[in-house]
Amino acid sequence: MTVQVVTGTGTEIGKTVVTAALAATALASGRSVAVLKPAQTGLSPGERGDAAEVARLAGPVTAAELARFPDPLAPATAARRAGAAPVSPEDVAEAAAKLATEHDLVLVEGAGGLLVRFDERGGTLAEAARLLAAPLLVVVPAALGALNATALTAEAARARGLEVTGTVIGGWPERPGLAERCNTEDLAKAAGAPLLGAVPWGAGGLSPEAFRAAAPKWLAPALYGRWDAAGFRETWAAG
């Protein structure tokens, strides 16, 4: 089965938009795609969650959500406050494996960072990835502070025996500063894995048609796109 776990160095850094871009490029290459959001927090019933947002932007994917909790908190905390059963890593692995029997690619989008707790036992997305033997794609910010957070995430992943496919910048600014331009070189060193794309800041605000047309330009061939890492670094290298 082909399962890719999408995590990040923190919250609000573009995981959902990167997941949508990856889904769009995979669909364009002829693959069937499912997107699984194990625990959606901060939304009420009826509001569009992350999996549904991926489907809106990317196109005809199967969107699945295991649980939803109203408070915008870590899944374990949000479940406890809601008096609801939490999602466990085993739940995530079982759902993803089932989706993988019917789709070419399953994208599992985490909440927050890699070690955010799903349940009171301390289960995390990292444990779900281990159960699935699935690699991690790490969404990272472009700005100052990205290198430390990226290195910590990659180190935590490898300490648990997980493979890091690479990193994708979740929001590349229109006018990058010195830190962002230096990070075009240094993110790969921090992660110990290649930089595989850069999604423009605000890409989630595009129309679905424009998003799908542009997505292949944001992601590398390893992610079904045609983004040129060497050209990107040459364009934005710090002087």
Side-chain angles (χ1 to χ4, degrees):
M1 61 183 176
T2 302
V3 179
Q4 177 74 68
V5 174
V6 182
T7 188
T9 57
T11 191
E12 301 297 328
I13 58 169
K15 288 190 300 296
T16 299
V17 176
V18 169
T19 301
L22 179 50
T25 58
L27 286 170
S29 72
R31 290 165 171 80
S32 59
V33 180
V35 177
L36 174 64
K37 183 73 175 184
Q40 178 71 64
T41 65
L43 293 179
S44 301
E47 293 185 273
R48 187 169 64 222
D50 291 346
E53 176 66 2
V54 171
R56 183 186 74 84
L57 289 170
V61 305
T62 298
E65 183 182 289
L66 297 186
R68 177 174 290 208
F69 311 113
D71 289 329
L73 303 168
T77 307
R80 184 178 69 246
R81 287 180 53 84
V87 175
S88 71
E90 290 78 11
D91 294 332
V92 180
E94 181 181 357
K98 182 177 180 180
L99 288 167
T101 65
E102 302 166 346
H103 299 82
D104 300 321
L105 176 65
V106 179
L107 303 175
V108 181
E109 184 196 339
L114 180 63
L115 301 185
V116 169
R117 290 186 169 217
F118 280 162
D119 56 27
E120 295 301 325
R121 181 177 58 84
T124 66
L125 185 67
E127 187 176 345
R130 182 183 60 78
L131 291 169
L132 287 161
L136 300 176
L137 182 66
V138 183
V139 180
V140 301
L144 195 65
L147 300 181
N148 180 66
T150 300
L152 288 170
T153 299
E155 183 174 323
R158 294 193 176 97
R160 290 160 175 78
L162 302 176
E163 174 191 351
V164 178
T165 300
T167 62
V168 174
I169 296 171
W172 183 252
E174 184 177 351
R175 295 181 178 84
L178 180 60
E180 289 88 347
R181 289 184 285 121
C182 287
N183 284 347
T184 63
E185 287 285 349
D186 294 339
L187 277 166
K189 300 171 187 175
L195 180 62
L196 294 177
V199 175
W201 188 266
L206 295 172
S207 70
E209 295 76 16
F211 185 93
R212 295 166 200 173
K217 298 184 293 185
W218 304 333
L219 300 178
L223 301 177
Y224 315 107
R226 56 179 186 272
W227 180 78
D228 177 10
F232 181 81
R233 287 195 300 269
E234 183 177 347
T235 298
W236 297 112

